[in-house]
Amino acid sequence: MPTPRSRRGSLTPVFLKMKKFNFRKVLDGLTASSPGSGSGSGSNSSGGSGAMHPGGTAGVLREEIQETLTSEYFHICKTVRHGFPYQPTALAFDPVQKTLAIGTRTGAIRILGRPGVDCYCQHESGAAVLQLQFLINEGALVSASSDDTLHLWNLRQKRPAILHSLKFNRERITYCHLPFQSKWLYVGTERGNTHIVNIESFILSGYVIMWNKAIELSTKTHPGPVVHLSDSPRDEGKLLIGYENGTVVFWDLKSKRAELRVYYDEAIHSIDWHHEGKQFMCSHSDGSLTLWNLKSPSRPFQTTIPHGKSPREGRKSESCKPILKVEYKTCRNSEPFIIFSGGLSYDKACRRPSLTIMHGKAITVLEMDHPIVEFLTLCETPYPNEFQEPYAVVVLLEKDLIVVDLTQSNFPIFENPYPMDIHESPVTCTAYFADCPPDLILVLYSIGVKHKKQGYSNKEWPITGGAWNLGTQTYPEIIITGHADGSIKFWDASAITLQMLYKLKTAKVFEKQKVGEGKQTCEIVEEDPYAIQMIYWCPESRIFCVSGVSAYVIIYKFSRHEITTEIVSLEVRLQYDVEDIITPEPETSPPFPDLSSQLPSRSLSGSTNTVASEGVTKDSIPCLNVKTRPVRMPPGYQAELVIQLVWVDGEPPQQITSLAVSSAYGIVAFGNCNGLAVVDFIQKTVLLSMGTIDLYRSSDLYQRQPRSPRKNKQFIADNFCMRGLSNFYPDLTKRIRTSYQSLTELNDSPVPLELERCKSPTSGLATRIPEAAAGFCRNEIPAVRHRNQVHHLPVKGSRKLSLPTDLKADLDHVNGHYTSPTSQSCSSGKRLSSADVSKVNRWGPGRPPFRKAQSAACMEISLPVTTEESRENSYNRSRSSSISSIDKDSKEAITALYFMESFARKNDSTISPCLFVGTSLGMVLIISLNLPSADEQRFTEPVMVLPSGAVLTFSCMDRTGALMQPPYEVWKDPNNIDENEKSLRRKLVMNCPSPSQDIGDHQYTIICSEKQAKVFSLPSQTCLYVHNITETSFILQADVVVLCNSACLACFCANGHIMIMSLPSLRPMLDVNYLPLTDMRIARTFCFTNEGQALYLVSPTEIQRLTYSQEMCDNLQDMLGDLFTPIETPEAQNRGFLKGLFGGSGQTFDREELFGEASAGKASRSLAQHIPGPGGIEGMKGAAGGVMGELTRARIALDERGQRLGELEEKTAGMMTSAEAFSKHAHELMLKYKDKKWYQF
């Protein structure tokens, strides 16, 4: 690996002749101002691309690269969905296959099995799922939706598809029941009628149980909707129908009449049978449970109010809340289980939702964190006429899924293997890393497993259905989620699974806010002051950095050892001062007074607390308080440094909009709509802290207008849809300050003549730094807060902030004139008032009251800006820098930061550490970093930050077309004693080969704006390619990723298009209208990564992963789990001859004969409409029509018939075996009593 090039800072004057090189063209197609440019314009989501300056070295370099990516490499498809199903409504379980199904209000169905078996499917109508019914051990599922449609899903393929649909036209579905091993589905409706559907053909039978025939003729009121249907465990020919008003009808299907009726005063919510079929239990709206015996239907056999108070003599029992569902499950060797939800007393309003388990005389109440949607009891047998032997209860909550172990007396819950707690705290940001270092997952898991919760059941997870294997693509993948409570979760996402590895709580570095405190934070956000806003992670060096909504940055280092130490904090004063622009006046004004004696000193860190107007105005106060006492830090990520932005003159700090960290340089950079800060986290010092406007040199493209310091305090609703990404930041509360809140239209009026006269006519020629400016650079040492004391760090030398050479002449102007012999006197301008003096006070001693004082020469590239008239539509905008707005606000946010070894200036011959900075106005500049030459000196010698003129980029490629990764430091445990005893030498991996001695360009740089992408060659700064990505929308997310060992540019547009372009030629490879942007959550969390992977938060509780790789799509079938595996249905218990004779109906019940068309006739066509399903068995894909389709359907029918014949043959063989055994026992019995007389018995 090549060694890093480092320079040591010095005060030796530098003379460099730089040519002013400004790109003033916008990237929305107005590229005519560049000579030789040729860019096409497209429509909708794609545009044209063109080459610029094709001659010279750039042309030679371009010919050397052979791009291997073609459109055949790309294809978009969803892979898997993780997390808890959003807004669940229904639950079902297959006791043989051991699979679980969950329906949602949005029409989605999630099918879960063993870990790795997780399938998502969606109803096209989007109607809410009312009920789910498995065809037990048949590989099929019936769903009833709120649009009164029944759907039959085929689960014998990895992606389920609908085989049939049946839509009811005149009645609304309220309840469904499918008996075990039956092909006839009972459907109850809102009118009280019961219909019967053939599952195989999905055709309605002519057999109907009308409500007026079910109830007594003397009843004058309608019984209400059907709330329960079930056949008797004792006799399949009897159907129990429960109506809402408290009526229960026991219907004889053969005789088509009601055998008995039950009436109760309270409404019925649910019914469940005793396995013997002689009793059933009802739950009611008054919190009571009634047990009924079929022999005495006139009144309940038993009535209880489990949570009601004991009634006094002569008084009625106290009513409780409704019991929404009850299940009555019997055990062979113990008392039965009665499990129900609800039923609590009304006087306990603060009680949480609960599940009650009654077992014998013991009553256990399990309180839940969320309301209960549905629950199911898991039993050992699928047969309803056997002892149920319950072993677990699946409880579906509004925001969680838990399983309770019934086999232990304390009823512990099982540890959930699914990632159902993604939304434990709302997700505010995401990051996705594919092809990570392989040891990271094991390291994070080994640390995280120590902090897992205890008290789970020691038994295995009971939902074990399906089959799953790793598949072919097994590279390590990690997903990181940031949450509203300040927590960070690391997830193992390898092989399309998701498992939590490690959880980090960032709020532990801050003091807990007491009641009545936190007023300074409420100016930014009303709640969730620790919410994570941005994440930056270097997997190789294990450096981790986060920024929060309260304008703070925390840098973490990974260690396997526990330490107890104090948290070092640093306060940075970052503000935006456009008022310092000289306002021209027609009258001549005297020169500026000497302000150096009037202004007090202030450090860049803002650690000196000042309160103006006798403590009324907040100033230099952070939003949160960092812990000052020693803190125990367990193994894992440990806080290295906390950086906080402070209040400035009564205004709270703005939220951070960009973040970047370099472990090789030991530097973190972050910016917001006020400016940019660069911090050395090795020496804990601020290297740079200045407003965005000061980063430019004097030839600024845009003239900023003055604004009121309190203007941002007024939040206007229209300002939320400003431009570009401004309206896609976390909307945690109403008063949250978005990063781009004040990005409104700019004034493109020319620079005043008086202002031009204040510029040095030879600004490209560097001069010596004056003593005042040099003093400003040398004496501004940031302070660190430590143990409630503010002191300077004991470092050798001092921090130097070096300014661009072409602007040092401007710093000679301190007292109203220039000391440079080549500059002119500035005698015209507005005199500073007392208010202006207070503004100048912010800059510290020796700093002139001009924004040009620290402006940086940069290569200015103007990107598109939003027009005022297009604000009404926040998703389709065009941007133009030539249109002014009435509502002008001049803030320019730092939107992107990137560390790289590159060429800092045009035509440089050597590469050096650089920081690329991009703003919301499309301006990009490079800041050069001068690092100490020796590794040992890195911990003591200062780092120099030099804003300098250069080109724009956010990713780099070498001359062979390979993507260049930012340099990083190899991880070394900072708390390992053995390693600390070794040399302090830092092992750096630069990933940037040194350029050869050949004359020519050595790097490509890629920049992508909200409209366009450009490719430049360095160091000649030649623009090679331009591509108009979109004309009618704008880009939300863009990343340079690696696929098949080649780099490409991936973009997600606000109109829902996903576009892939090859590099460096920017040839379109893929353009798919994937997802219409209907929620800002998608824009906030969408992210690309290598190997063709991407993800976004599709709902508040679910993460959707997708791939744009054709290879991944081809292998997806092998990676998905099987929902159905062939399992033999368990045999029913032998009931015995006498029990079969006296315990139930002796005659068989043929549903086919009773419900078939021959006996029941056809149902009315207007009652329900049959809709063939779009999918089916995998072989049905080829059955599009014609002879092939008929042959395919015939083959499938033969397969199904053969399967049924095989099952019939097995049943026949079983019956023959039983008959032979019975004949044998009968013959033995006959021989035994053959010769006995009658009196011998």
Side-chain angles (χ1 to χ4, degrees):
M1 289 292 179
T3 57
R5 290 175 172 78
S6 304
R7 309 173 196 166
R8 295 193 56 182
S10 63
L11 294 178
T12 306
V14 180
F15 296 92
L16 174 64
K17 187 174 182 180
M18 276 188 74
K19 178 183 178 182
K20 292 185 180 180
F21 190 66
N22 299 332
F23 279 153
R24 297 177 181 270
K25 55 185 177 296
V26 297
L27 292 187
D28 57 359
L30 301 179
T31 56
S33 58
S34 295
S37 65
S39 64
S41 61
S43 60
N44 297 331
S45 62
S46 63
S49 61
M52 303 180 63
H53 300 287
T57 308
V60 177
L61 179 61
R62 189 172 40 186
E63 293 176 358
E64 295 177 357
I65 297 181
Q66 298 293 331
E67 295 183 5
T68 59
L69 293 179
T70 60
S71 59
E72 286 76 16
Y73 283 82
F74 300 95
H75 182 71
I76 291 284
C77 69
K78 294 180 181 179
T79 55
V80 69
R81 181 171 295 197
H82 302 296
F84 180 76
Y86 184 54
Q87 297 178 332
T89 56
L91 184 68
F93 181 72
D94 188 328
V96 178
Q97 288 289 323
K98 307 285 187 184
T99 53
L100 188 75
I102 301 174
T104 71
R105 192 176 301 172
T106 59
I109 298 177
R110 287 280 292 280
I111 303 173
L112 305 172
R114 67 177 66 249
V117 178
D118 187 345
C119 179
Y120 167 85
C121 45
Q122 174 73 43
H123 292 91
E124 292 184 359
S125 64
V129 178
L130 298 180
Q131 194 176 353
L132 296 172
Q133 285 275 327
F134 273 104
L135 275 67
I136 297 177
N137 203 27
E138 296 290 338
L141 176 71
V142 175
S143 63
S145 55
S146 60
D147 60 352
D148 307 311
T149 306
L150 298 174
H151 305 275
L152 178 63
W153 295 82
N154 178 21
L155 305 185
R156 298 198 176 210
Q157 56 193 61
K158 294 190 175 182
R159 288 195 178 274
I162 295 178
L163 290 172
H164 303 281
S165 296
L166 185 66
K167 180 172 179 56
F168 283 75
N169 298 323
R170 296 185 297 181
E171 298 191 53
R172 308 212 65 180
I173 299 173
T174 57
Y175 195 86
C176 298
H177 171 65
L178 180 65
F180 178 50
Q181 293 182 333
S182 171
K183 68 175 183 177
W184 296 96
L185 175 71
Y186 301 109
V187 181
T189 67
E190 192 175 27
R191 292 186 179 181
N193 302 325
T194 301
H195 301 274
I196 302 173
V197 179
N198 188 314
I199 290 297
E200 293 180 350
S201 61
F202 235 60
I203 296 176
L204 203 62
S205 170
Y207 192 108
V208 182
I209 305 175
M210 305 299 291
W211 68 271
N212 53 357
K213 294 183 179 180
I215 64 175
E216 288 183 347
L217 297 177
S218 59
T219 306
K220 298 180 180 181
T221 59
H222 191 279
V226 175
V227 297
H228 177 81
L229 291 169
S230 62
D231 54 341
S232 170
R234 188 180 184 186
D235 186 355
E236 296 177 351
K238 306 292 177 62
L239 183 67
L240 193 69
I241 307 173
Y243 294 96
E244 189 181 51
N245 71 340
T247 302
V248 180
V249 177
F250 196 50
W251 184 264
D252 189 336
L253 294 171
K254 238 178 183 182
S255 62
K256 299 182 181 180
R257 64 179 181 86
E259 186 170 306
L260 61 87
R261 297 179 179 90
V262 168
Y263 298 97
Y264 194 70
D265 296 337
E266 298 294 334
I268 293 177
H269 286 278
S270 69
I271 302 175
D272 198 19
W273 280 101
H274 187 279
H275 82 278
E276 292 181 350
K278 299 178 181 179
Q279 298 175 345
F280 61 88
M281 182 175 288
C282 303
S283 68
H284 300 277
S285 57
D286 63 344
S288 64
L289 296 174
T290 56
L291 184 64
W292 300 82
N293 196 315
L294 296 181
K295 293 183 178 181
S296 56
S298 58
R299 59 186 179 87
F301 175 74
Q302 181 181 352
T303 302
T304 58
I305 303 180
H307 294 296
K309 294 181 180 179
S310 299
R312 297 180 181 178
E313 294 183 2
R315 292 189 178 184
K316 188 180 179 180
S317 301
E318 180 187 7
S319 297
C320 294
K321 296 179 182 179
I323 296 180
L324 302 179
K325 184 178 182 180
V326 64
E327 291 204 348
Y328 188 23
K329 304 301 179 184
T330 56
C331 301
R332 186 180 299 274
N333 300 320
S334 64
E335 296 291 330
F337 279 90
I338 300 175
I339 305 170
F340 61 89
S341 61
L344 296 179
S345 176
Y346 279 106
D347 61 354
K348 299 178 181 179
C350 298
R351 290 279 294 271
R352 293 186 294 178
S354 65
L355 183 77
T356 304
I357 302 175
M358 300 174 61
H359 189 213
K361 297 181 179 180
I363 300 179
T364 305
V365 179
L366 305 179
E367 292 187 342
M368 305 296 170
D369 294 331
H370 309 284
I372 297 175
V373 177
E374 176 70 286
F375 74 89
L376 286 175
T377 305
L378 309 188
C379 303
E380 296 288 350
T381 177
Y383 295 94
N385 58 354
E386 298 178 356
F387 283 101
Q388 300 299 289
E389 302 293 343
Y391 59 90
V393 178
V394 180
V395 186
L396 178 64
L397 308 178
E398 279 191 0
K399 296 184 179 180
D400 201 0
L401 176 71
I402 64 172
V403 181
V404 182
D405 187 359
L406 295 179
T407 61
Q408 301 183 37
S409 59
N410 58 341
F411 301 126
I413 64 173
F414 291 88
E415 184 177 3
N416 198 328
Y418 313 125
M420 294 292 183
D421 57 345
I422 293 177
H423 62 287
E424 183 180 14
S425 176
V427 178
T428 55
C429 61
T430 58
Y432 193 5
F433 301 87
D435 203 9
C436 300
D439 60 330
L440 266 181
I441 292 179
L442 293 177
V443 169
L444 291 173
Y445 180 79
S446 63
I447 298 296
V449 73
K450 300 177 182 178
H451 305 285
K452 279 192 173 183
K453 296 179 182 179
Q454 304 298 325
Y456 291 112
S457 172
N458 54 9
K459 294 190 175 182
E460 294 185 358
W461 180 253
I463 304 171
T464 58
W468 177 77
N469 51 38
L470 288 175
T472 56
Q473 298 182 356
T474 57
Y475 49 81
E477 301 173 67
I478 293 179
I479 294 175
I480 304 177
T481 55
H483 300 265
D485 63 350
S487 61
I488 303 288
K489 292 182 180 180
F490 292 78
W491 305 84
D492 177 13
S494 305
I496 67 173
T497 61
L498 197 68
Q499 181 184 7
M500 196 174 79
L501 299 172
Y502 173 69
K503 183 177 181 179
L504 173 66
K505 298 181 179 179
T506 63
K508 287 187 174 181
V509 305
F510 299 106
E511 297 284 358
K512 291 184 178 180
Q513 292 186 350
K514 298 180 181 179
V515 179
E517 293 184 357
K519 293 182 179 180
Q520 56 222 31
T521 306
C522 71
E523 296 289 342
I524 300 181
V525 59
E526 290 181 350
E527 57 185 16
D528 298 328
Y530 309 110
I532 304 300
Q533 201 170 16
M534 303 189 75
I535 293 173
Y536 192 98
W537 188 42
C538 178
E540 290 78 13
S541 63
R542 302 184 188 177
I543 291 290
F544 185 66
C545 186
V546 298
S547 68
V549 73
S550 298
Y552 65 83
V553 173
I554 308 177
I555 302 160
Y556 290 90
K557 287 188 175 180
F558 188 85
S559 176
R560 290 192 176 98
H561 303 275
E562 178 181 316
I563 61 171
T564 300
T565 183
E566 296 177 355
I567 300 174
V568 182
S569 65
L570 192 64
E571 295 175 359
V572 176
R573 187 182 181 90
L574 195 59
Q575 67 188 68
Y576 189 90
D577 284 314
V578 297
E579 295 88 353
D580 296 329
I581 302 178
I582 301 175
T583 304
E585 287 186 356
E587 298 180 356
T588 304
S589 302
F592 290 100
D594 187 357
L595 301 174
S596 59
S597 61
Q598 304 177 16
L599 307 180
S601 174
R602 178 172 298 171
S603 67
L604 284 176
S605 65
S607 57
T608 305
N609 292 337
T610 61
V611 180
S613 303
E614 299 180 355
V616 177
T617 304
K618 295 180 181 179
D619 193 70
S620 301
I621 300 174
C623 296
L624 301 172
N625 296 322
V626 179
K627 291 181 179 179
T628 55
R629 62 184 181 277
V631 178
R632 185 187 71 87
M633 298 184 185
Y637 275 104
Q638 301 166 350
E640 176 77 6
L641 176 65
V642 180
I643 308 167
Q644 291 182 284
L645 297 181
V646 296
W647 287 63
V648 177
D649 294 341
E651 289 197 17
Q654 299 296 312
Q655 294 178 9
I656 294 169
T657 60
S658 57
L659 178 67
V661 182
S662 174
S663 60
Y665 307 151
I667 294 175
V668 57
F670 58 93
N672 59 11
C673 58
N674 284 342
L676 173 69
V678 182
V679 176
D680 182 351
F681 62 81
I682 292 181
Q683 299 188 39
K684 316 296 191 298
T685 54
V686 177
L687 305 179
L688 180 70
S689 176
M690 61 172 59
T692 312
I693 195 172
D694 298 323
L695 295 174
Y696 294 98
R697 60 178 172 183
S698 56
S699 58
D700 190 1
L701 286 182
Y702 303 101
Q703 176 190 359
R704 274 74 174 172
Q705 295 294 324
R707 67 174 180 89
S708 169
R710 305 291 294 178
K711 185 173 182 179
N712 268 350
K713 302 291 287 184
Q714 303 294 331
F715 184 87
I716 304 174
D718 292 342
N719 288 345
F720 191 73
C721 296
M722 295 300 175
R723 82 158 73 89
L725 302 182
S726 60
N727 55 336
F728 294 104
Y729 272 74
D731 47 336
L732 298 179
T733 62
K734 295 179 181 178
R735 300 184 58 189
I736 193 166
R737 291 179 177 267
T738 59
S739 305
Y740 302 91
Q741 172 184 338
S742 49
L743 292 181
T744 52
E745 283 300 322
L746 302 176
N747 184 9
D748 57 352
S749 59
V751 180
L753 180 61
E754 288 80 5
L755 184 59
E756 290 290 344
R757 291 177 180 174
C758 297
K759 301 176 184 177
S760 171
T762 58
S763 60
L765 205 59
T767 58
R768 186 167 57 87
I769 300 178
E771 292 300 323
F776 166 74
C777 297
R778 290 193 300 269
N779 298 331
E780 302 282 353
I781 302 179
V784 177
R785 178 172 291 185
H786 195 61
R787 284 191 179 181
N788 287 333
Q789 298 178 359
V790 178
H791 60 86
H792 297 291
L793 288 175
V795 297
K796 296 182 181 180
S798 61
R799 292 291 174 191
K800 295 180 176 64
L801 181 63
S802 299
L803 304 179
T805 55
D806 58 339
L807 296 173
K808 294 176 181 178
D810 291 339
L811 289 178
D812 293 342
H813 177 277
V814 178
N815 296 322
H817 62 277
Y818 285 93
T819 57
S820 173
T822 59
S823 62
Q824 301 178 3
S825 174
C826 182
S827 59
S828 63
K830 185 176 181 179
R831 183 185 296 273
L832 292 176
S833 62
S834 58
D836 296 325
V837 172
S838 65
K839 294 169 184 175
V840 176
N841 181 24
R842 304 171 184 172
W843 303 104
R847 181 170 183 179
F850 301 108
R851 67 172 177 84
K852 303 189 303 296
Q854 285 191 342
S855 59
C858 69
M859 182 177 182
E860 296 169 343
I861 304 297
S862 175
L863 301 186
V865 292
T866 308
T867 62
E868 177 70 16
E869 37 191 53
S870 64
R871 284 186 184 175
E872 297 179 359
N873 188 350
S874 61
Y875 297 119
N876 294 293
R877 292 190 266 278
S878 62
R879 308 184 68 179
S880 173
S881 61
S882 61
I883 299 178
S884 301
S885 170
I886 297 177
D887 181 18
K888 295 181 172 64
D889 196 340
S890 52
K891 284 195 175 183
E892 181 177 4
I894 305 296
T895 57
L897 297 167
Y898 188 71
F899 286 100
M900 178 52 71
E901 294 272 319
S902 187
F903 300 94
R905 292 175 176 83
K906 185 175 182 179
N907 297 324
D908 272 1
S909 59
T910 59
I911 59 175
S912 61
C914 298
L915 170 63
F916 293 89
V917 181
T919 74
S920 58
L921 296 183
M923 308 301 294
V924 181
L925 58 99
I926 297 180
I927 294 179
S928 178
L929 308 173
N930 282 356
L931 303 175
S933 57
D935 290 335
E936 292 78 6
Q937 295 174 345
R938 178 62 186 89
F939 297 93
T940 57
E941 294 296 324
V943 175
M944 297 181 66
V945 179
L946 299 91
S948 62
V951 296
L952 55 91
T953 185
F954 291 101
S955 189
C956 292
M957 300 172 64
D958 60 20
R959 63 188 308 165
T960 64
L963 187 64
M964 298 171 58
Q965 300 296 335
Y968 63 88
E969 176 187 5
V970 178
W971 177 77
K972 181 174 61 175
D973 197 328
N975 301 321
N976 194 330
I977 300 178
D978 297 336
E979 292 186 7
N980 288 337
E981 293 177 353
K982 299 178 183 179
S983 174
L984 294 177
R985 185 176 182 84
R986 302 166 66 230
K987 184 178 180 182
L988 305 181
V989 178
M990 306 312 293
N991 292 326
C992 299
S994 300
S996 61
Q997 301 298 324
D998 300 335
I999 299 177
D1001 289 350
H1002 305 283
Q1003 282 186 4
Y1004 287 109
T1005 61
I1006 303 99
I1007 174 66
C1008 184
S1009 74
E1010 293 181 356
K1011 295 286 186 180
Q1012 283 187 341
K1014 283 191 175 183
V1015 176
F1016 287 82
S1017 63
L1018 293 182
S1020 68
Q1021 299 182 357
T1022 303
C1023 183
L1024 299 178
Y1025 302 98
V1026 180
H1027 181 67
N1028 297 326
I1029 298 177
T1030 179
E1031 295 290 343
T1032 60
S1033 186
F1034 60 94
I1035 297 172
L1036 295 170
Q1037 182 68 31
D1039 285 297
V1040 176
V1041 294
V1042 175
L1043 179 66
C1044 300
N1045 298 321
S1046 298
C1048 57
L1049 177 63
C1051 302
F1052 176 57
C1053 204
N1055 59 9
H1057 283 250
I1058 292 180
M1059 291 158 283
I1060 311 293
M1061 283 145 283
S1062 66
L1063 291 175
S1065 66
L1066 294 176
R1067 289 184 296 109
M1069 298 283 101
L1070 178 72
D1071 186 354
V1072 176
N1073 188 3
Y1074 170 74
L1075 177 72
L1077 186 63
T1078 56
D1079 196 335
M1080 286 187 291
R1081 184 187 305 108
I1082 299 174
R1084 188 177 70 239
T1085 57
F1086 198 101
C1087 54
F1088 294 98
T1089 189
N1090 297 332
E1091 307 299 337
Q1093 302 272 26
L1095 66 81
Y1096 59 93
L1097 200 67
V1098 69
S1099 72
T1101 62
E1102 295 171 290
I1103 289 178
Q1104 177 66 58
R1105 292 168 65 180
L1106 59 105
T1107 180
Y1108 48 92
S1109 167
Q1110 180 66 58
E1111 181 183 3
M1112 179 77 173
C1113 294
D1114 295 339
N1115 298 328
L1116 186 59
Q1117 284 293 110
D1118 298 331
M1119 302 175 68
L1120 294 175
D1122 293 311
L1123 301 176
F1124 177 82
T1125 55
I1127 299 177
E1128 185 177 353
T1129 303
E1131 294 184 1
Q1133 296 179 1
N1134 189 5
R1135 303 181 62 189
F1137 176 76
L1138 296 179
K1139 192 171 184 180
L1141 181 62
F1142 299 104
S1145 175
Q1147 41 188 313
T1148 60
F1149 177 68
D1150 189 355
R1151 292 189 179 94
E1152 179 69 29
E1153 180 182 351
L1154 187 62
F1155 302 144
E1157 184 177 340
S1159 58
K1162 292 184 178 181
S1164 173
R1165 293 185 177 181
S1166 61
L1167 183 61
Q1169 177 186 0
H1170 177 260
I1171 305 172
I1177 305 176
E1178 295 175 352
M1180 288 291 290
K1181 295 179 181 179
V1187 178
M1188 292 302 298
E1190 293 297 333
L1191 289 175
T1192 305
R1193 282 188 283 271
R1195 182 178 59 82
I1196 294 173
L1198 287 174
D1199 292 343
E1200 294 177 353
R1201 183 172 179 271
Q1203 183 178 0
R1204 289 195 297 269
L1205 288 176
E1207 294 175 356
L1208 181 61
E1209 184 178 356
E1210 293 177 358
K1211 291 180 181 179
T1212 304
M1215 293 177 63
M1216 291 180 62
T1217 304
S1218 301
E1220 290 177 359
F1222 179 76
S1223 175
K1224 181 179 179 181
H1225 289 303
H1227 184 69
E1228 292 177 353
L1229 188 63
M1230 184 268 296
L1231 293 177
K1232 181 177 180 181
Y1233 297 101
K1234 179 180 180 181
D1235 298 330
K1236 291 187 178 182
K1237 305 296 182 182
W1238 61 271
Y1239 53 84
Q1240 293 178 337
F1241 286 96

